Amino acid sequence: MSTDVKKSWLASRLPCPAKEAGSCAPTLERGAPYAATLPALITGAVLFLLASGLVLAVYYNPAHGFDSIQFIARNVNSGWLIQGFHTTGVTMLFAAVYWLLFRDIYTGAYRAPGELVWLLRVKLFALLLLVGWLGYTLSDGAVSYWSLTNATTAATALGGVAGVIGRWFFGGPNGAGTLARLEVFHAVLALAALGTLGASRCAARALARQTKPQHPVSCHPYYTSQTFAAFAVFALIFAVLMFFAPHYGLNPLNRAASDSLIVPAVLSPPWYLSPVSAVASVFSTAAGSIFGAIVMLAVLAALPWLDRSSPNSKRGLFYRLLTGLLLLDVIGLGWSVSDPACTISGSLTVVFTIWYFFHFLVLTPLVTALEAK
Amino acid sequence: MAGTSEHAVGHGGDSRRDFLKILTVATGVVGAGAVIWPFIDALGPDADGTAAAHLIVDVAGIPENTAITVTWNGLPIYIRKLTAQQIADTQAVVTSTLVDPADFASRVKPGYDSFVVVVGLNTGSPCALEGNAPADPRGPFDGWLSPCDGSVYDPLGRVRGGPATKNLAIPRFKFINDAQIQFG
């Protein structure tokens, strides 16, 4: 009896929405694919990165960024492991986000009434790119130093509103206090990404509730066990990468300390930033590079309106082939900036960039309109 | 099939499922523990911090009638070697006449009567005490003198005069051998 009283005391003061909505009620459609657990995996990855990032932030010293990371790896108990969690966690997070976006493009999930979910996912992607780049600059390595210096130089040189925002963001040229403020932006924008992720999952859940399931099943244990199995595979891949390829997709030259007098031979960014970096590198001016990166994300966000097919119609074979080509194109974009020793990689970047925009701005409206007939 | 039904009769219908469930949960708990442990471990003190918290000081080289200063936990620690005369004088004091009564045995470690280890901060208005070197001003009891408020301490660090009313604090330490003491 006392527990009943206690329960009602607590329940009356702290109502649990999940309990009231009846999360165990059979309201979900049976047979969702394993890829539908991607948002849950992304949430897990973001929370994992927040936890490891908090531990790193305790020891990180922006005045001596590179040295403090060496300190974390060598002196802090299990510091090498926490640092590996953070580095490899980013790789897993971006792999899941890229996969989610490609899956949405492939299946056409972005079409009405899914536009809001899609927009929030693109916003999440944009925020994660920014947070990822900020974290990369915090490594204070030989390569990331020049990425940051080029960005701050561009920001001080830009005119108009972009210049004002850039100077506010970086606080002038790359100097003593730059990494300290970027550490704060890294953490704050990571929380903003978590919020955006929550919003996108809320919107996706509201969308799922609109259709009445043919074979209804309850969330638990039907989908909790599926998520658990997906999570186990995700964690296994993470562990293999972390222990056997801890620097996967990262520029090895960035393992040296930053030096304001030495520009490394290869200035390639981490793999997850390289497609955007490639599009930005096509433009010769700073303003052009920023414009390129923004337009690259903008066409992604505009996809629901570029697609001329009716909602719920099947994707045609040609469109699916083109999506496969787009995947190769984005991989090619990333590869073309990671290997500057290849003499034609510069022109390949231009070709891949043109194809990227050609795909979204010309082929997508054309093919979806043709296949809708 | 026969084996399955026999199994079900023999051990209850859910025995196989229960076993797998326990196995899965146990593996999951071990895995979660293995992931969480580095987070807890990383926030603890590192080897440098642990070593600093358990500072070892060589006291064999301290000359008689002299104190050395070491820093431990951010505090100035005075380690003083007493002369036979100082030991005899401080043992002769009637404890009940003191401002903050403390006998000789409570100010030194048993078996190491000649070493006094105290926090060298005046207990009145906090400031570092003078009197470590024989040539320093030490006050009438040949101990320490506060340059800030004039409080006077004897060689055991007991307050003998001035605004201060408490004896000098004794840090946590032990003799690990005749030549070395360890703090913490």
Side-chain angles (χ1 to χ4, degrees):
Chain A
M1 189 199 152
S2 66
T3 52
D4 277 3
V5 170
K6 202 174 175 185
K7 212 172 190 179
S8 64
W9 182 88
L10 189 66
S12 62
R13 284 158 181 80
L14 187 70
C16 179
K19 221 167 210 175
E20 284 177 6
S23 59
C24 286
T27 54
L28 298 166
E29 181 60 84
R30 194 171 71 188
Y34 270 93
T37 60
L38 278 171
L41 297 183
I42 290 169
T43 311
V46 169
L47 292 176
F48 187 69
L49 285 171
L50 276 175
S52 53
L54 279 174
V55 175
L56 294 178
V58 168
Y59 295 104
Y60 184 74
N61 174 6
H64 304 280
F66 188 84
D67 289 344
S68 71
I69 289 172
Q70 295 299 311
F71 175 83
I72 290 168
R74 290 157 199 265
N75 285 38
V76 173
N77 300 332
S78 307
W80 64 276
L81 198 55
I82 299 288
Q83 204 198 329
F85 281 174
H86 207 67
T87 313
T88 311
V90 174
T91 287
M92 294 303 288
L93 172 65
F94 271 101
V97 169
Y98 274 104
W99 186 4
L100 181 69
L101 292 183
F102 262 102
R103 187 168 178 270
D104 280 354
I105 294 173
Y106 188 79
T107 59
Y110 53 79
R111 292 174 298 183
E115 316 100 307
L116 183 63
V117 178
W118 171 254
L119 283 178
L120 287 168
R121 282 175 181 174
V122 173
K123 185 190 168 193
L124 172 70
F125 178 54
L127 271 173
L128 287 178
L129 284 173
L130 184 53
V131 174
W133 180 75
L134 288 170
Y136 166 61
T137 63
L138 291 182
S139 69
D140 197 23
V143 183
S144 71
Y145 173 85
W146 284 100
S147 179
L148 176 58
T149 301
N150 290 341
T152 51
T153 308
T156 43
L158 279 177
V161 182
V164 172
I165 295 172
R167 282 187 290 276
W168 174 82
F169 190 81
F170 291 115
N174 188 8
T178 309
L179 285 182
R181 68 165 52 217
L182 294 191
E183 187 189 5
V184 174
F185 281 128
H186 179 66
V188 169
L189 290 173
L191 290 175
L194 184 66
T196 307
L197 179 61
S200 80
R201 296 195 65 188
C202 272
R205 221 163 282 162
L207 202 61
R209 274 200 292 272
Q210 283 179 10
T211 52
K212 202 164 166 59
Q214 300 276 318
H215 308 282
V217 289
S218 60
C219 180
H220 179 76
Y222 197 89
Y223 280 119
T224 45
S225 58
Q226 186 175 15
T227 307
F228 185 77
F231 180 77
V233 174
F234 193 68
L236 197 66
I237 298 169
F238 166 79
V240 169
L241 275 177
M242 159 137 193
F243 290 112
F244 294 97
H247 309 308
Y248 177 78
L250 305 176
N251 188 335
L253 295 179
N254 202 39
R255 305 297 292 176
S258 61
D259 191 326
S260 57
L261 297 178
I262 298 172
V263 185
V266 183
L267 285 170
S268 64
W271 73 267
Y272 43 86
L273 298 175
S274 54
V276 182
S277 169
V279 172
S281 73
V282 168
F283 299 86
S284 53
T285 62
S289 294
I290 294 167
F291 174 78
I294 289 174
V295 171
M296 188 187 188
L297 293 166
V299 294
L300 214 54
L303 194 51
W305 296 276
L306 292 170
D307 190 315
R308 309 309 304 168
S309 66
S310 60
N312 297 324
S313 64
K314 280 288 244 185
R315 307 324 308 256
L317 177 67
F318 192 46
Y319 179 86
R320 281 185 279 153
L321 275 176
L322 282 177
T323 311
L325 260 182
L326 178 71
L327 176 63
L328 293 178
D329 180 65
V330 172
I331 293 171
L333 270 175
W335 170 80
S336 69
V337 285
S338 68
D339 188 13
C342 176
T343 45
I344 56 160
S345 65
S347 25
L348 279 179
T349 310
V350 177
V351 171
F352 290 143
T353 302
I354 290 171
W355 179 263
Y356 178 88
F357 288 109
F358 186 64
H359 172 95
F360 283 112
L361 296 175
V362 179
L363 288 177
T364 300
L366 203 66
V367 172
T368 50
L370 281 175
E371 288 185 339
K373 277 181 185 168
Chain B
M1 276 290 111
T4 315
S5 64
E6 194 178 307
H7 184 82
V9 170
H11 305 280
D14 287 335
S15 122
R16 182 183 164 83
R17 174 181 290 237
D18 283 349
F19 173 71
L20 289 174
K21 193 172 163 187
I22 290 165
L23 200 66
T24 310
V25 170
T27 312
V29 167
V30 170
V35 172
I36 290 167
W37 170 245
F39 287 89
I40 298 165
D41 190 32
L43 287 177
D46 61 12
D48 282 351
T50 309
H54 299 282
L55 180 70
I56 294 175
V57 179
D58 204 337
V59 295
I62 303 174
E64 273 196 353
N65 201 26
T66 302
I68 60 165
T69 307
V70 295
T71 304
W72 175 72
N73 274 10
L75 296 168
I77 307 289
Y78 291 177
I79 306 169
R80 181 168 184 154
K81 189 165 188 190
L82 305 179
T83 60
Q85 182 63 43
Q86 285 167 339
I87 294 171
D89 286 352
T90 49
Q91 274 173 335
V93 174
V94 178
T95 308
S96 57
T97 63
L98 296 171
V99 183
D100 184 4
D103 61 5
F104 183 86
S106 71
R107 304 295 297 175
V108 298
K109 293 284 176 198
Y112 300 97
D113 283 0
S114 57
F115 286 103
V116 169
V117 181
V118 291
V119 176
L121 289 176
N122 184 24
T123 56
S125 58
C127 72
L129 297 170
E130 289 179 340
N132 280 353
D136 285 351
R138 285 180 163 180
F141 296 93
D142 200 24
W144 285 282
L145 181 67
S146 167
C148 304
D149 63 5
S151 297
V152 179
Y153 298 86
D154 69 11
L156 296 181
R158 297 181 295 194
V159 64
R160 301 298 286 269
T165 54
K166 285 211 167 71
N167 297 338
L168 295 181
I170 296 177
R172 213 162 51 246
F173 77 98
K174 62 173 186 280
F175 276 87
I176 49 177
N177 54 50
D178 284 350
Q180 289 177 310
I181 64 172
Q182 182 170 32
F183 292 92

